[in-house]
Amino acid sequence: MEDQVLINDYAQRSLRYTADEDYIAARMSYKAGLTEPFLWSGLHSIEKYLKALLLFKKRPAKGFKHDIVKLLSAVNAVAGLDLRLPAKAELFIHYINEFGENRYFEGAACLEECALDSLDEVVWYIRRYCYDESAYEGYNLRKIEPSDLEKSPKEYRLPGGLLEKIIKEKPIAYSYLVWDNFFYGDENIERDDIRRRQSKFSVIDPPLAFFGKEALEALKDFVDLSYDTKQYFKERA
């Protein structure tokens, strides 16, 4: 079996499939009002979609860890590929890259306005390229222009995707996928209405913010604190 066939299979089943699951988990967390799980799952979904895209394009996806800003740069460097990612979607990637990897609540938990709609947008724009285009060569399929896809995003469905299967079969996850989702939800939903409902901004300070270096000294022999956290308090000692 050719190496690229194996790589594509990994990209589809180990990355894109689990990215779809992380994406729905992020939407579930947002609906439940759980900021940190939303950011963490959202970050991972974008990370896996970007890595899958690189593999499908025969590019390595090693060495990036969870840094989706660096991953996006690598994707943008792929010749002939134009994500056409809106500017505000790119800003969201920078935002979630900064606040998403905060699973131990060492830094502030920041939920920006319309965060869920922004995640939906980023996922749709990246995910539409997460498949092996060579598998469809020779079928004389009509090439749909990206601009046409963007006018009617709900009409575009990825071949063999988990989200598409959920939309078709409507299991329990379906309600979480389509809720307030302009890109994968109800045909009649208005995006302006969605963004109005999501026009909330919140910040929760972490426990370390109240005790500072004293907490750092007490915890350093008991837990693994991130490099950034240790540097933050070191600079303010």
Side-chain angles (χ1 to χ4, degrees):
M1 187 177 293
E2 293 182 11
D3 286 351
Q4 190 59 41
V5 173
L6 297 172
I7 291 170
N8 287 347
D9 185 69
Y10 176 85
Q12 179 171 322
R13 298 203 286 173
S14 292
L15 290 178
R16 193 185 76 194
Y17 185 94
T18 59
D20 285 348
E21 292 183 320
D22 288 334
Y23 171 50
I24 295 173
R27 302 195 97 260
M28 292 171 68
S29 296
Y30 184 94
K31 190 173 185 180
L34 305 176
T35 298
E36 277 306 321
F38 164 72
L39 294 171
W40 178 246
S41 296
L43 173 71
H44 277 74
S45 67
I46 297 171
E47 173 196 342
K48 292 175 183 177
Y49 286 131
L50 288 169
K51 287 179 176 178
L53 194 160
L54 285 173
L55 294 183
F56 282 127
K57 295 296 183 182
K58 302 179 176 62
R59 301 292 192 281
K62 292 178 62 176
F64 296 100
K65 295 184 179 179
H66 305 306
D67 194 329
I68 58 175
V69 171
K70 288 183 179 178
L71 273 165
L72 180 61
S73 294
V75 166
N76 285 334
V78 176
L81 176 66
D82 180 13
L83 283 183
R84 297 170 60 90
L85 204 61
K88 64 180 184 295
E90 203 159 326
L91 288 174
F92 178 80
I93 286 177
H94 283 264
Y95 151 74
I96 204 168
N97 194 61
E98 179 179 355
F99 291 99
E101 200 173 353
N102 187 27
R103 62 192 184 279
Y104 298 120
F105 196 25
E106 293 180 26
C110 176
L111 184 70
E112 72 171 21
E113 292 182 4
C114 308
L116 183 59
D117 182 65
S118 295
L119 175 65
D120 294 335
E121 181 175 53
V122 167
V123 166
W124 187 85
Y125 270 86
I126 295 172
R127 188 179 180 271
R128 62 177 172 169
Y129 290 105
C130 288
Y131 72 101
D132 178 18
E133 294 180 4
S134 66
Y136 298 89
E137 291 177 357
Y139 287 89
N140 294 320
L141 298 177
R142 183 176 69 87
K143 179 78 172 175
I144 304 174
E145 291 301 317
S147 56
D148 292 334
L149 294 177
E150 290 153 18
K151 290 174 185 174
S152 304
K154 296 183 189 69
E155 295 180 10
Y156 175 73
R157 293 290 179 256
L158 203 62
L162 175 61
L163 298 188
E164 287 72 19
K165 181 179 180 182
I166 289 171
I167 290 169
K168 180 179 179 181
E169 298 180 0
K170 296 181 174 55
I172 293 173
Y174 174 79
S175 64
Y176 294 101
L177 172 61
V178 300
W179 174 76
D180 260 7
N181 195 333
F182 176 77
F183 294 88
Y184 294 100
D186 190 331
E187 286 292 332
N188 299 317
I189 200 164
E190 293 291 337
R191 195 171 186 194
D192 286 343
D193 292 338
I194 291 173
R195 293 185 71 83
R196 264 193 296 274
R197 285 192 289 272
Q198 296 179 17
S199 60
K200 57 184 177 181
F201 174 85
S202 64
V203 177
I204 308 171
D205 286 325
L208 284 171
F210 296 101
F211 298 102
K213 194 169 186 297
E214 181 184 349
L216 185 68
E217 290 298 320
L219 290 167
K220 68 180 183 181
D221 294 327
F222 292 91
V223 297
D224 292 318
L225 295 169
S226 71
Y227 173 80
D228 288 341
T229 295
K230 288 185 284 188
Q231 283 298 110
Y232 176 84
F233 288 109
K234 182 179 179 181
E235 292 168 1
R236 284 154 181 77

